[in-house]
Amino acid sequence: MKNSDANQILHFVKKRGIVSRQDLREEGFVPEYLAKLAQAGHLSQLAPGIYMDMDADMGEYLEFAVVAKRISGAIFFGLSALNFHRLTSHVAHTVQIAVERHTWTPQLVWP
């Protein structure tokens, strides 16, 4: 990996906060660079194929960001949506999402 590629990828990740391998592919980069940059300590791997800038502050909604990256088109609902919009004092122990009927059913362990 060339230094210029690494710097461009790090700049891209810093702008986005959280990126997936697909994001890198769409930008014309080799997605394997994410794992190499994580191994070098420049990025943090949040889930398989999902990486975050080490300086990014996602706060209490990190789980929502990861789910949104991993499951395209996911719609947050129920207690998750109420909690996100601060309309309840209950703490959601799971992230509730809806996906389009008759599509792939995601199976996530974390988050």
Side-chain angles (χ1 to χ4, degrees):
M1 174 172 38
K2 296 183 279 186
N3 265 349
S4 61
D5 287 343
N7 289 335
Q8 287 179 335
I9 291 169
L10 289 172
H11 180 71
F12 176 70
V13 174
K14 189 173 279 299
K15 279 189 346 189
R16 292 266 183 111
I18 293 179
V19 298
S20 67
R21 292 169 52 90
Q22 181 63 33
D23 294 334
L24 233 58
R25 252 187 236 103
E26 290 171 0
E27 291 295 313
F29 293 109
V30 178
E32 287 72 23
Y33 286 173
L34 288 172
K36 290 178 181 178
L37 289 168
Q39 287 173 348
H42 298 290
L43 300 176
S44 174
Q45 183 177 12
L46 302 174
I50 309 293
Y51 296 84
M52 180 176 86
D53 178 51
M54 295 296 270
D55 298 328
D57 180 21
M58 298 308 291
E60 61 190 285
Y61 299 114
L62 180 61
E63 291 86 5
F64 289 95
V66 173
V67 168
K69 273 289 178 197
R70 292 190 71 189
I71 304 170
S72 178
I75 298 171
F76 297 93
F77 75 98
L79 195 54
S80 296
L82 292 172
N83 192 320
F84 181 81
H85 292 289
R86 301 188 188 277
L87 297 174
T88 183
S89 59
H90 295 308
V91 176
H93 296 286
T94 59
V95 177
Q96 298 172 317
I97 61 168
V99 293
E100 189 173 336
R101 193 180 291 236
H102 304 298
T103 60
W104 168 72
T105 304
Q107 301 292 322
L108 299 177
V109 176
W110 184 93

